[in-house]
């Protein structure tokens, strides 16, 4: 017994004096909690800061989207809970996955074009009646379904199904699109895959897809084709016919935080077959939002039962 006690004491003593980075070498790199209607994804932004991404129902349509980002000072292992010691980094005031300007070709009325879905209500902005709804959410970690209010560690997948009205069916409340959004979460990266299926014949007139509210990154924006811009001023990647771009990086003013957003240019709408060559593939508005131009200038007809898709990602650098 004395030998066993000595061994245990030695192990505990050695562990207590090991540097934190040695102890954390094999520590989990990402934590997940599904609490209430929200999903919390936590990863090490750097050795001293945890970053928490909170996804859940928000906006006029109460659809699943990025709600907020928090940071917590923590030089130890990941703690996947937002506490009173966490600091708000970003509170979403707009959608990150784009709404649609979509027209029903069979049973629609003569309403004027307007965005529906995302954070857009029946008034065309963030007010009015809902124009979309989330019908299901599933959450998996390492390929297995999880239960609520329990911490998990590893890679996560969240699948969301939304229904979207057309601008000329919102008076009747008729849904014309089924949108399946698949999020894949690995440390510091969010993969996005969207497949949109027509529930009746429609014409997709405008669609940005991947968007970002960048008021927490107020520095320089660098487009992947070399073009640059500054927060608070309109900029873009230039006409697609001259030089297209499939990603950008925007930095905080201190350069401590960076966001990279990217569209897979080999998949579906990411090929930009529905973008006018005179328009830019990416642009930033002066009010602090960046858009990809997936459908603009070339309408896309989708017949009942057919689908369109795209893939992209966010990285927190």
């Amino acid at each position: 017994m004395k030998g066993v006690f000595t061994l245990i004491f030695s192990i505990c003593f050695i562990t207590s004096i090991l540097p934190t980075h040695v102890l954390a070498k094999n520590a989990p790199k990402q934590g997940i909690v599904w609490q209430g209607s929200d999903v919390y994804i936590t990863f090490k932004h750097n050795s001293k800061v945890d970053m928490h991404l909170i996804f859940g129902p928000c906006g006029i349509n109460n659809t699943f989207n990025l709600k907020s980002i928090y940071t917590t000072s923590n030089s130890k292992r990941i703690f996947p809970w937002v506490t009173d010691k966490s600091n708000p980094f970003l509170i979403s005031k707009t959608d990150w996955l784009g709404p649609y300007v979509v027209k029903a070709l069979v049973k629609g009325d003569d309403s004027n074009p307007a965005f529906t879905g995302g954070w857009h209500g029946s008034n065309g902005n963030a007010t009015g009646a809902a124009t979309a709804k989330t019908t299901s959410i599933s959450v998996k970690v390492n390929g297995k379904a999880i239960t609520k209010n329990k911490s998990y560690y590893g890679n996560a997948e969240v699948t969301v199904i939304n229904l979207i009205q057309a601008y000329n069916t919102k008076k009747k409340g008729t849904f014309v699109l089924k949108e399946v959004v698949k999020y894949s979460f690995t440390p510091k990266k969010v993969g996005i895959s969207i497949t949109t299926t027509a529930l009746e014949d429609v014409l997709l007139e405008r669609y940005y897809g991947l968007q970002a509210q960048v008021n927490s990154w107020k520095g320089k924006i660098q487009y992947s084709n070399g073009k640059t811009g500054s927060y608070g001023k309109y900029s873009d990647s230039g006409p697609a016919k001259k030089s297209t771009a499939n990603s950008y990086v925007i930095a905080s003013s201190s350069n401590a935080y960076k966001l990279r957003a990217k569209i897979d240019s080999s998949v579906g709408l990411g090929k930009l077959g529905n973008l006018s060559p005179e328009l830019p593939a990416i642009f930033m508005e002066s009010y602090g939002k960046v858009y990809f131009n997936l459908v603009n200038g070339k309408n896309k007809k989708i017949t009942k039962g057919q689908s369109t898709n795209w893939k992209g990602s966010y990285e927190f650098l």
Side-chain angles (χ1 to χ4, degrees), residues 258-311:
K258 294 180 180 180
L259 174 70
R260 175 187 288 128
K262 183 177 183 180
I263 283 286
D264 188 333
S265 55
S266 68
V267 175
L269 296 178
K271 297 178 181 180
L272 303 184
N274 292 94
L275 175 64
S276 169
E278 304 295 331
L279 297 174
I282 312 171
F283 62 98
M284 179 169 69
E285 293 287 1
S286 59
Y287 50 78
K289 194 166 182 182
V290 187
Y291 302 85
F292 282 86
N293 238 347
L294 301 187
V295 179
N296 197 349
K298 293 183 179 181
N299 296 341
K300 183 176 182 62
K301 183 178 180 180
I302 313 173
T303 58
K304 182 178 180 179
Q306 289 188 333
S307 301
T308 188
N309 69 327
W310 61 269
K311 291 183 178 181

Side-chain angles (χ1 to χ4, degrees), residues 227-247:
K227 299 282 187 178
T228 62
S230 299
Y231 179 84
K233 297 180 180 180
Y234 175 86
S235 68
D236 61 49
S237 58
K241 67 178 181 180
K242 291 185 177 180
S243 177
T244 190
N246 69 348
S247 68

Side-chain angles (χ1 to χ4, degrees), residues 33-38 146-150 152:
V33 175
W34 189 4
Q35 186 176 34
S37 58
D38 295 337
I146 67 173
T147 57
K148 292 185 176 182
N149 303 315
K150 181 180 177 181
Y152 293 83

Side-chain angles (χ1 to χ4, degrees), residues 47-67:
S47 61
K48 296 181 179 180
V49 176
D50 289 352
M51 180 171 277
H52 313 271
L53 309 181
I54 304 174
F55 285 77
C58 50
I60 185 67
N61 296 315
N62 210 34
T63 47
F64 193 87
N65 215 297
L66 177 63
K67 295 177 72 172

Side-chain angles (χ1 to χ4, degrees), residues 6-117:
T6 301
L7 177 61
I8 294 174
F9 175 79
S10 298
I11 292 173
C12 292
F13 177 74
I14 291 171
T15 301
S16 67
I17 64 174
L18 282 174
T20 302
H21 71 273
V22 174
L23 289 176
K25 183 176 181 180
N26 296 315
K29 296 181 179 180
Q30 181 171 266
I32 301 95
V33 175
W34 189 4
Q35 186 176 34
S37 58
D38 295 337
V39 178
Y40 295 73
I41 308 291
T42 300
F43 51 80
K44 283 287 182 190
H45 188 270
N46 58 49
S47 61
K48 296 181 179 180
V49 176
D50 289 352
M51 180 171 277
H52 313 271
L53 309 181
I54 304 174
F55 285 77
C58 50
I60 185 67
N61 296 315
N62 210 34
T63 47
F64 193 87
N65 215 297
L66 177 63
K67 295 177 72 172
S68 56
I69 301 175
Y70 282 76
T71 59
T72 304
S73 296
N74 177 23
S75 60
K76 299 180 181 179
R77 294 188 177 214
I78 290 172
F79 183 69
W81 297 89
V82 174
T83 70
D84 56 3
K85 294 183 179 180
S86 303
N87 299 308
F89 179 78
L90 178 144
I91 304 299
S92 290
K93 298 180 180 179
T94 182
D95 38 25
W96 284 63
L97 299 182
Y100 301 78
V101 177
V102 58
K103 179 181 181 180
L105 296 176
V106 180
K107 301 177 182 178
D109 56 37
D110 59 355
S111 296
N112 293 324
F115 283 106
T116 56

